[in-house]
Amino acid sequence: MTEGVLLAIFAGLMLGLYALPEKFTKGFKYENTWSLFFLLTMFVVPIIASVTLIDGFVSIFGNMPTDIWIKMGLTSFLWGVGVMMWSKAINHIGLSLGFSLFIGTIILVGSVLPFIEDGLPPTNQLTTILLGLFVVLIGIFANGKAGFIREKVEKANHENKEQKGSMATGILIAVIGGLLATGFSYANAAGRPYLHEASQAAGNAEWITAVAVMFPIFISGGLVMTAYFLWQLTTKKAWGDFKTPAFGKNFVLILVMAFFHYAASALFAFAAYKLGASGNTVGYAIFNTSCVVTAIISGIITKEWVKASSKARKFLYVGLSCMVIGIVIVAYSNSLA
């Protein structure tokens, strides 16, 4: 159990830090950076990793039952749609509130969704899991409140761009996006049993199952993400911005981002396996919460909150504390199995 918890925390740490190299790119618009990122992380990296690392790749996926392909493909596609909706929600309600609502929905729904495939755990374990999730959600929304206060002050000081669209619309988009993004959790739960058995039969190491599970998830989810950003490149007339002397450096930085993003997701899948019967639920909660905590702490270290009011920082610290306590409770629940 301890190994699975630590792996889930480390996966969340990687996911929380994967976007840091983006701060050092030059000459690229937002659309250039993220279209190249999604192309690399959703197609190039998983295809190379899967073909290179999985013995019996063609046989494993060629024999995968149609119903599993449909379950994984459809829910992964919805995951991609959800992520795109989150990016739209930010235009309406700002980064902090949008992030909190989106991740809060993912943690709450995505952690419970695997029960459809795995079945409910014992009552005492289920109660502890739900208690931990509740504490995490208090932390998520305290963090959202902190961000909301900070953005309000920055907007008043003309340090933040004016938000476009209504608050109600943004909240609705963020919540629906979060619901759709939980498709990642369900796809992992639906595909792992067959892929683990088939991977083991082909003589692969246990951890290779995580690579196999990520293959259909990333390919399906990448379709909508990549298509969206290709459209954005055309709409924003950003294709020409790829022609920059810094392209080589930018490509390496974005490739590092793509590798960390993919590796974090694959590591979560392996952590879920190590955590046992309720691993999809416990691992998903720990993974996403660790990601949020890491992102917040990195923001504090890089002085993103240096100009925030004391009230905003208090909400931020309360939120961090609740999320850490919630992780501990969820992790403890796995020992009750």
Side-chain angles (χ1 to χ4, degrees):
M1 185 199 82
T2 302
E3 182 184 4
V5 170
L6 292 176
L7 287 171
I9 291 174
F10 187 66
L13 177 66
M14 291 179 67
L15 191 64
L17 294 175
Y18 87 89
L20 277 181
E22 188 263 346
K23 294 179 180 291
F24 303 99
T25 58
K26 296 180 180 179
F28 272 12
K29 290 181 179 177
Y30 171 86
E31 290 77 18
N32 299 101
T33 298
W34 291 99
S35 60
L36 182 56
F37 165 76
F38 279 118
L39 177 65
L40 292 173
T41 198
M42 306 306 284
F43 296 104
V44 177
V45 173
I47 288 174
I48 292 176
S50 299
V51 173
T52 304
L53 297 174
I54 302 174
D55 291 336
F57 172 82
V58 174
S59 175
I60 289 172
F61 288 101
N63 294 321
M64 190 159 83
T66 303
D67 65 313
I68 297 179
W69 272 115
I70 293 174
K71 287 179 180 179
M72 295 189 75
L74 179 58
T75 53
S76 300
F77 184 84
L78 294 178
W79 166 53
V81 174
V83 173
M84 291 304 100
M85 290 184 69
W86 172 67
S87 68
K88 286 295 184 182
I90 293 172
N91 292 331
H92 292 267
I93 58 178
L95 180 60
S96 294
L97 186 57
F99 189 77
S100 296
L101 289 172
F102 180 74
I103 294 295
T105 303
I106 283 180
I107 291 176
L108 178 62
V109 180
S111 297
V112 176
L113 206 57
F115 290 148
I116 296 175
E117 291 287 327
D118 302 336
L120 291 174
T123 302
N124 61 333
Q125 186 185 15
L126 177 61
T127 302
T128 307
I129 289 173
L130 295 178
L131 175 62
L133 292 177
F134 178 72
V135 175
V136 167
L137 287 176
I138 292 175
I140 292 288
F141 286 102
N143 170 47
K145 179 68 173 178
F148 190 74
I149 295 171
R150 172 188 158 191
E151 287 171 352
K152 186 176 180 180
V153 172
E154 288 178 346
K155 185 177 178 181
N157 294 332
H158 305 288
E159 294 179 4
N160 203 26
K161 292 182 179 180
E162 187 176 354
Q163 295 166 6
K164 301 176 182 178
S166 71
M167 179 68 69
T169 300
I171 290 173
L172 183 63
I173 294 174
V175 172
I176 294 177
L179 287 171
L180 295 178
T182 58
F184 180 95
S185 175
Y186 182 83
N188 176 67
R192 195 180 68 196
Y194 162 78
L195 288 171
H196 179 68
E197 183 178 344
S199 178
Q200 291 288 284
N204 291 291
E206 284 187 341
W207 65 271
I208 292 295
T209 298
V211 179
V213 171
M214 289 304 106
F215 180 73
I217 291 178
F218 271 60
I219 297 300
S220 299
L223 293 174
V224 64
M225 294 181 186
T226 304
Y228 172 78
F229 276 102
L230 291 177
W231 172 66
Q232 286 289 292
L233 282 170
T234 302
T235 303
K236 302 294 177 62
K237 299 180 180 179
W239 286 100
D241 290 282
F242 282 115
K243 297 178 181 179
T244 170
F247 179 84
K249 176 186 175 183
N250 290 351
F251 181 87
V252 172
L253 289 170
I254 295 169
L255 181 60
V256 171
M257 291 168 56
F259 173 78
F260 267 72
H261 178 264
Y262 171 80
S265 300
L267 189 59
F268 150 71
F270 186 57
Y273 164 72
K274 284 292 186 180
L275 283 166
S278 297
N280 289 311
T281 291
V282 174
Y284 197 66
I286 295 174
F287 171 59
N288 280 287
T289 306
S290 299
C291 169
V292 177
V293 170
T294 301
I296 293 171
I297 292 176
S298 65
I300 294 173
I301 293 173
T302 55
K303 300 182 178 181
E304 289 181 5
W305 290 84
V306 70
K307 295 182 180 180
S309 66
S310 60
K311 183 178 180 181
R313 287 196 294 270
K314 284 179 182 177
F315 271 106
L316 182 70
Y317 299 145
V318 168
L320 275 171
S321 300
C322 287
M323 284 186 280
V324 171
I325 293 170
I327 283 182
V328 173
I329 295 173
V330 172
Y332 170 73
S333 72
N334 207 58
S335 68
L336 302 177

